[in-house]
Amino acid sequence: METAGISCFISSPCAHNHSTAVAPRHLRRHYATKNLKQSSIFGESLRIMPRSRFNSVKANSNNSSSSSSSLVTKCEIGDSLEEFLTKSTPDKGLIRLLMCMGEALRTIAFKVRTASCGGTACVNSFGDEQLAVDLLANKLLFEALQYSHFCNYACSEEVPELQDMQGPSEGGFSVAFDPLDGSSIVDTNFTVGTIFGVWPGDKLTGITGAQQAAAAMGIFGPRTTYVLALKDVPGTHEFLLLDEGKWQHVKDTTSIGEGKMFSPGNLRATSDNPDYAKLIDYYVREKYTLRYTGGMVPDVNQIIVKEKGIFTNVSSPSAKAKLRLLFEVAPLGFLIEKAGGYSSDGKQSVLDIVINNLDDRTQVAYGSKNEIIRFEETLYGSSRLKVTEPVGIAA
């Protein structure tokens, strides 16, 4: 699964001084390309393509953007990732960025199975201990985004400062990602994954999740899958990594129905949040099936795959919200809502929350409409979603 000649090294983010300031594009420092050229992760053709070629591609993309609504080619199960994207959007830059991220996910899948699970001497600036495999995934994703030539800025949960990716002056994207969500359970051989959101332009603050052009997660378990959604394409789509290294479209999800399956995160909050305790008691009393791994990626992905259920992660006075809006909550909310589900922080869709700071955190629930109504009514007494009959606890 790993291509021959891949050479990656782990570079501690603690050893670099990253600036959060956004310099004018003409004053940005030029990234050294020597080390990048030594990697063969994306193949020779991607490394040597001249920038003038990308400018031409971008111009063609701009010319065709007005005709995006005229795309009539139907995406089909069995399509390759490239075939699916080509049918789905005329934006060549977005296609290239998502293809490059797919290549990084393919390599991360191999590295997760073989890389060290030992702790490093570093913590990130949020205070989280980093594992060697975190740093490796982090490096591969930054490298993928720079190779795409269509990423303006990128920001990682492991390196939570904006990084200049030297994208185009107009028409590029900015990407926020969690390189390896659930890395603390790698050593127990649980499923883990990568999460990322793609925003048009060069901003990752002062934005909302609803403004994403695309979002995705890579899932590294018994199967390796790439689950993505695009703003102008119905549904959320799953691609399976085949033995020959090809991503194949195997499922699309356009509706999330009702079903008694729950994944309750941050259960310690029930000790001093009686409303959350009341909600959990309801799930148990009504004989919901418990499906919780401790990894946000598999616990949210199962809602999309099974097309039912609810995931909750609620805060309390003693158990504060820890899920980051930019890196985790907004991209996963985009995937859930494109799949026909709903999201909530208790009062509104998580896609409507303005991301003011890179470290903004929130409580969250994802699931079917009735489950989100029950979540909002139980925690706050009412729901923004209209129903004709009360559900669950409120009935």
Side-chain angles (χ1 to χ4, degrees):
M1 193 172 299
E2 184 185 23
T3 57
I6 290 179
S7 57
C8 300
F9 59 91
I10 300 171
S11 176
S12 169
C14 300
H16 300 280
N17 180 21
H18 299 294
S19 172
T20 59
V22 178
R25 188 166 296 275
H26 69 281
L27 294 179
R28 292 177 182 176
R29 74 179 186 276
H30 178 69
Y31 269 62
T33 59
K34 181 178 180 181
N35 287 335
L36 292 176
K37 289 181 179 179
Q38 291 173 349
S39 170
S40 61
I41 182 173
F42 301 114
E44 191 68 23
S45 62
L46 296 188
R47 292 204 308 276
I48 65 175
M49 187 179 289
R51 184 164 294 276
S52 59
R53 171 77 176 276
F54 292 108
N55 292 337
S56 173
V57 169
K58 185 59 198 168
N60 291 337
S61 174
N62 287 335
N63 291 336
S64 62
S65 62
S66 61
S67 63
S68 60
S69 60
S70 66
L71 282 177
V72 295
T73 307
K74 181 176 174 59
C75 301
E76 298 177 346
I77 300 299
D79 282 347
S80 68
L81 176 61
E82 186 173 12
E83 288 169 339
F84 170 85
L85 292 172
T86 301
K87 292 177 180 180
S88 298
T89 176
D91 192 328
K92 306 300 184 187
L94 183 59
I95 291 172
R96 181 176 171 82
L97 188 150
L98 293 173
M99 289 293 295
C100 285
M101 292 297 271
E103 287 297 298
L105 294 177
R106 184 167 62 88
T107 305
I108 293 169
F110 177 83
K111 294 298 184 180
V112 164
R113 294 197 303 273
T114 59
S116 168
C117 291
T120 70
C122 292
V123 294
N124 65 17
S125 59
F126 289 143
D128 302 325
E129 183 180 0
Q130 293 174 303
L131 301 176
V133 70
D134 290 0
L135 301 179
L136 181 55
N138 195 66
K139 178 186 182 297
L140 289 169
L141 291 165
F142 272 123
E143 189 178 64
L145 291 170
Q146 188 165 359
Y147 272 125
S148 79
H149 293 278
F150 281 92
C151 181
N152 291 327
Y153 289 97
C155 187
S156 162
E157 189 174 48
E158 302 300 334
V159 187
E161 294 101 17
L162 287 183
Q163 306 296 303
D164 186 353
M165 295 287 102
Q166 297 291 303
S169 57
E170 295 181 2
F173 300 91
S174 292
V175 179
F177 61 87
D178 183 347
L180 201 62
D181 184 77
S183 57
S184 64
I185 57 176
V186 169
D187 57 351
T188 61
N189 211 21
F190 282 16
T191 295
V192 296
T194 295
I195 305 168
F196 68 89
V198 181
W199 280 264
D202 57 6
K203 291 171 53 181
L204 286 174
T205 55
I207 56 174
T208 66
Q211 295 172 313
Q212 290 172 95
M217 53 183 167
I219 302 156
F220 316 122
R223 302 156 69 236
T224 298
T225 56
Y226 185 7
V227 177
L228 62 84
L230 285 75
K231 184 172 184 178
D232 297 323
V233 179
T236 295
H237 303 268
E238 180 183 72
F239 295 81
L240 175 66
L241 185 61
L242 304 179
D243 287 343
E244 62 266 30
K246 172 185 174 183
W247 293 107
Q248 183 176 67
H249 190 200
V250 294
K251 178 178 173 58
D252 52 25
T253 303
T254 57
S255 66
I256 304 295
E258 304 306 320
K260 293 185 175 183
M261 181 179 73
F262 75 120
S263 299
N266 202 25
L267 279 178
R268 62 176 62 88
T270 59
S271 65
D272 57 345
N273 184 334
D275 291 328
Y276 191 30
K278 183 179 178 182
L279 183 63
I280 299 302
D281 287 345
Y282 172 84
Y283 296 146
V284 174
R285 186 172 66 252
E286 293 298 316
K287 297 181 171 59
Y288 277 51
T289 299
L290 174 64
R291 289 288 182 268
Y292 181 70
T293 70
M296 191 176 184
V297 165
D299 290 337
V300 172
N301 183 58
Q302 70 179 342
I303 297 174
I304 298 170
V305 173
K306 300 292 188 182
E307 300 182 5
K308 64 180 182 180
I310 184 166
F311 169 89
T312 57
N313 193 295
V314 178
S315 61
S316 74
S318 65
K320 304 296 184 181
K322 65 176 185 177
L323 298 178
R324 295 173 180 106
L325 186 57
L326 178 65
F327 304 104
E328 300 162 309
V329 174
L332 293 180
F334 189 88
L335 291 171
I336 286 287
E337 295 201 13
K338 289 294 293 185
Y342 292 80
S343 69
S344 177
D345 69 345
K347 298 180 179 180
Q348 62 184 325
S349 164
V350 298
L351 299 185
D352 293 332
I353 305 173
V354 177
I355 303 168
N356 293 310
N357 303 289
L358 300 180
D359 191 33
D360 284 352
R361 306 183 188 212
T362 183
Q363 62 181 10
V364 66
Y366 304 115
S368 65
K369 182 176 182 178
N370 280 347
E371 292 297 351
I372 296 303
I373 291 170
R374 182 178 295 111
F375 172 80
E376 293 181 343
E377 288 180 339
T378 304
L379 267 64
Y380 292 97
S382 64
S383 175
R384 65 199 157 85
L385 302 173
K386 304 298 183 183
V387 288
T388 55
E389 300 291 338
V391 297
I393 300 170

